[in-house]
Amino acid sequence: MSTSEIDASVQAELNRLRESIDNIDAAVVHMLAERFKATQQVGRLKADHKLPPADPARETRQIARLRQLAQSANLDPAFAEKLLNFIIAEVIRHHERIADETENGDAGRTGGTKDAATGT
């Protein structure tokens, strides 16, 4: 069935729902960008004080917390955990890069990059 064959009221509802999804996607991107900014600051603070890029105890707490939030929101906790694990891995990678740049005297180069989002 092509789009031209769909009843006009169904097409209107489909368009309304898709617009809502597009708005939610935009909000998610903006929220992740804010989170990236915070984790970049965490990475710099850790690098300046020679703290390790990863914090396994915090990561474990964050995963448990996110799974609980997901369950409360009727979102699959396993999906939420996979998403957070992806974000954590990216944050650690960025924190390692910031630490390397700080150690090598290149700290000023990280200012324009974006970071992921757990605060670890």
Side-chain angles (χ1 to χ4, degrees):
M1 178 177 274
S2 69
T3 304
S4 61
E5 296 176 58
I6 297 174
D7 181 85
S9 64
V10 173
Q11 187 64 51
E13 181 67 1
L14 184 60
N15 291 344
R16 184 190 68 76
L17 292 167
R18 287 177 172 167
E19 187 175 315
S20 179
I21 290 167
D22 292 351
N23 289 336
I24 293 166
D25 288 347
V28 167
V29 167
H30 287 283
M31 291 302 295
L32 283 172
E34 286 301 310
R35 208 154 194 264
F36 291 152
K37 289 175 190 174
T39 58
Q40 188 167 8
Q41 292 172 349
V42 168
R44 286 190 191 119
L45 185 63
K46 284 182 171 186
D48 290 345
H49 295 279
K50 303 201 183 317
L51 298 170
D55 184 344
R58 174 166 166 75
E59 293 157 17
T60 298
R61 289 190 310 271
Q62 286 294 90
I63 289 168
R65 180 178 157 271
L66 192 68
R67 285 184 66 92
Q68 187 175 30
L69 287 169
Q71 192 164 10
S72 296
N74 294 319
L75 180 67
D76 179 6
F79 169 77
E81 183 173 347
K82 286 177 192 175
L83 178 62
L84 188 59
N85 280 327
F86 174 78
I87 292 169
I88 289 170
E90 188 68 8
V91 168
I92 292 169
R93 188 178 71 78
H94 286 259
H95 286 186
E96 289 169 343
R97 187 200 74 238
I98 291 168
D100 288 346
E101 290 172 351
T102 298
E103 188 175 307
N104 295 324
D106 297 334
R109 292 188 197 172
T110 62
T113 60
K114 291 191 178 179
D115 218 329
T118 65
T120 58

